[in-house]
Amino acid sequence: MRKTDLNKYVGAPETGRAASASITARIALKGLYSIIAVLAVAGVIVLVFMTSFILSFRNESIKMDLNNLKLNYTSFIYVNDDSGQPVEYQRLYSSENRIWVDYDKIPKNMKNAMVAIEDKRFMEHNGVDWIRTAGAVTTLVTKGGSYGGSTITQQLVKNITGEGEVSLTRKVKEIFRAINLDSRYSKEQILEAYLNVVNYGSGCQGVQAAANLYFGKEISQASLAECASIAAITQNPYKYNPLNFPENNKTRQQLVLSEMLNQQMISQDEYNSAMEESNHMVFVGNQNENVVNDTPVWNWYIDAMFEDIVEDLQTTQGISKDKAVYMMYHGGLKIYCAMDQKAQNAAEEVVSSDNMPADQKIQLGYFMMDYNGRVLATVGRRGEKTGNRLLSYATDSQRQPGSSIKPIASYGPAVDMGVLNYSSILPDEPVDNYFAGGKPGPNNWYKKFYGDITVQRALEISSNAAAAQLVKMISPITSYRFLTDQLHFTHLNPKTDSVQIAAMAIGGMNGGVTVKEMTAAYQIFGNGGQYHKPYTYYYVEDHDGNVILDNRQSTGTQVIKSTTSTIMNRLLRNVVYGSEGTGGGAAVSGWEVFGKTGTTDEDKDSWFVGGTPYAVAGIWTGYETPKSLSYGQKENYTKWAAKIWRNIMAKYLDGKKKTYFQYDSNVVSATFRTDNGKLSGADVGVPTKTGWYERGNMPEVDTSPPVSSSTASDILSEPEQSEPENSQWETSHPSTSETSSKPDWENSSPASSRPSSSHSQGNGNGNGNGNGNGNGNGNGPGQDGNGLWVPPDTEIRP
């Protein structure tokens, strides 16, 4: 068929502008169809996602029984006596301005006033007023502003849970919780709870407390106008507080009366009478200013336990902090406290004794626990405790840890990773670009650098430079993750680069640490490497005898190997008993003690954290407003942290059966050369000491003669980060007659006080020939070790 014959079937072709317009129209139409199709598919995807998201919360509900909100039973605290049996220790009382009043005792006008102004369809909806919700959403989309469609049921949910953030997730949860709450309880029960728990300003929780404060009467005696005035407060308890802003309250009170009239809850005559009373209303205010509060003052341990239980109730019951506190006071709880009365008494007696720093403004925080998580004692500050739930320097205050951070931020992780062993060589010399502007650092408190020194000596003398070199070696992020992920520090906020090295190496944190956190972290050096969350109570029962909180089955988490724990324990004993140790003041006669001192820049904070076979404890001392503990003082107060720690621990241990740390059987002792850290295979005239090593990570044996070198680096500088210099009481240690566990360093060959700065680093894995035949293996009980801990799987491993 010829081409011209096609016209009989398809028509004559378009030409010119008409053809171009037709093609353009078809392309545009196809494009429009494509856009519509894409939007349709996207819309379906979004719809499916949103539906799935919303329905994922359909089972959201409040765990707490509404009936528990009105309980008014006394809660009891029990503590174990000397035989281990729980006996009543204390009862909880509260001066809280809240009095529950039953539904039938609340006047009808009070109920109607709240419904009229807050939720007029309360009796008809299922917990959510969808008409009002749609209106609120429309207003939000078209005009902006906040969501205003909450019903009384939703407001009750918000009050119980304490969740008030502005977010879609929170609002969806609130809607489903309200629906589920409405299905479980009657309208009367919901309204009764609402009227008793809502904030009515000036610390008043509930309408009874509000009527008492504002009108000096019971809510059952309140007039219509007074009920409207109380109802007016809830939208903004500050703005509509009748004592502070009576005109604001009056304006909204009259709006409440108008709504009640419009909704036919009151007659015109009742409205007119109430409006007249509103124009001449008098508010009473507090009439009990001279009432003495006879609530007993708790000790610091009960304070800490109270806060722990409140936090745990919030988590397990899904309630707000206020409701958890109310449960503590009025829920009839039976609380089985974990306090060790001997330990607590010892701490309180030492802190309140005359044998304390003469400067009464020097404060402290003390925290003691066993190696399974049980908190034994705590003291929040010096001086007489005059109230309850006070700020504690042991559990609340975050301070800089100084050198006490070194074992947990650098040495512990490095040994666990196999980067270090007991006698590895570290350079005691500044790190390049440590300070801003490229200046090297950090400086040492002893105003010099010793060059290459062993790990054992670096910890013993608290070398800042060696710790910084180590953090650089393993990386600051490794240290940070170990502290936060494994040891659960929550207030750290390190910066980057050299500043982060400073934070992890010598405790110059951008954030801070608590004494509680430090003590819990150090437990891993006395229990085979396990972290246990500190607990202050064994378990808690509700008023019906149901166990609602329980720590009796809590287990620890392996965060370092048990071999690492043993090696670090041995290293940290040198800080206390070593000839150059900075922690000699913490030595307890006749007992094994490990630990680490810590001071911060300009001696503003002083720490000691360490343990004995029975307990691990930490102490911070310093001023409330940080200032130097040494400069310009008659006495160097940095010494007192270790001294107080020793005095409390000695009093606690007095009369206890002698016991020893259990060490891992896979750790063996061997003699090492102090000049290069390698094992000593022969007597070549080199000073030696006894080290402790994991099988498989032993230094190589070195039988070569010593290399002649200078005894110390010539680098001298002023300290930026200070540690207390060794005084007589710091460097002293028990004699052989005073202790049944003679430290192995006493059996070693004479040590050089200043190792060579030019020896090579000998920290390789070598051939493992250290078979424990060194001369310092004097602690027999430590060799029994159980060796049963399973090595952890942590992020810090290479």
Side-chain angles (χ1 to χ4, degrees), residues 367 369 394-399 408 483 487-492 512-523 531 534 607 609:
F367 196 86
M369 59 186 287
T395 58
D396 303 319
S397 181
Q398 298 132 42
R399 299 282 175 154
I408 52 179
L483 291 173
L487 300 182
H488 305 284
F489 282 82
T490 57
H491 307 293
L492 301 184
V513 301
T514 65
V515 182
K516 176 181 179 179
E517 288 174 330
M518 290 295 290
T519 305
Y522 267 66
Q523 71 179 296
Y531 179 89
W607 292 75
V609 191

Side-chain angles (χ1 to χ4, degrees), residues 204 206-220 222 230:
C204 296
V207 293
Q208 180 79 331
N212 291 166
L213 176 64
Y214 300 130
F215 305 112
K217 60 178 64 174
E218 303 293 297
I219 188 61
S220 60
I230 293 172

Side-chain angles (χ1 to χ4, degrees), residues 293-323:
N293 180 8
D294 59 355
T295 302
V297 176
W298 314 331
N299 66 27
W300 285 105
Y301 194 102
I302 301 301
D303 258 21
M305 182 197 70
F306 189 98
E307 301 303 332
D308 287 347
I309 296 176
V310 166
E311 182 178 344
D312 291 345
L313 285 173
Q314 290 177 254
T315 301
T316 60
Q317 304 296 308
I319 57 178
S320 69
K321 186 173 184 178
D322 287 342
K323 301 306 172 291

Side-chain angles (χ1 to χ4, degrees), residues 74-75 77 90-94 298 302 306 328-329 335:
T74 300
S75 292
I77 299 172
Q90 200 165 329
R91 301 183 182 190
L92 295 179
Y93 301 92
S94 171
W298 314 331
I302 301 301
F306 189 98
M328 289 289 289
Y329 284 122
I335 301 165

Side-chain angles (χ1 to χ4, degrees), residues 420-441:
L420 293 182
N421 59 47
Y422 190 99
S423 58
S424 295
I425 295 297
L426 285 175
D428 181 23
E429 56 190 41
V431 175
D432 293 337
N433 301 315
Y434 182 83
F435 293 111
K439 183 180 177 181

Side-chain angles (χ1 to χ4, degrees), residues 99-152:
I99 308 168
W100 192 278
V101 56
D102 292 334
Y103 186 81
D104 57 0
K105 298 291 184 10
I106 302 174
K108 182 178 180 181
N109 283 331
M110 187 69 251
K111 302 168 191 172
N112 285 341
M114 289 305 315
V115 171
I117 194 62
E118 292 293 334
D119 188 4
K120 65 182 180 181
R121 282 181 285 273
F122 173 71
M123 292 297 177
E124 288 77 42
H125 62 62
N126 65 341
V128 178
D129 187 342
W130 296 108
I131 297 175
R132 189 176 177 189
T133 299
V137 172
T138 301
T139 301
L140 177 65
V141 172
T142 58
K143 300 181 180 180
S146 60
Y147 185 96
S150 296
T151 64
I152 282 176

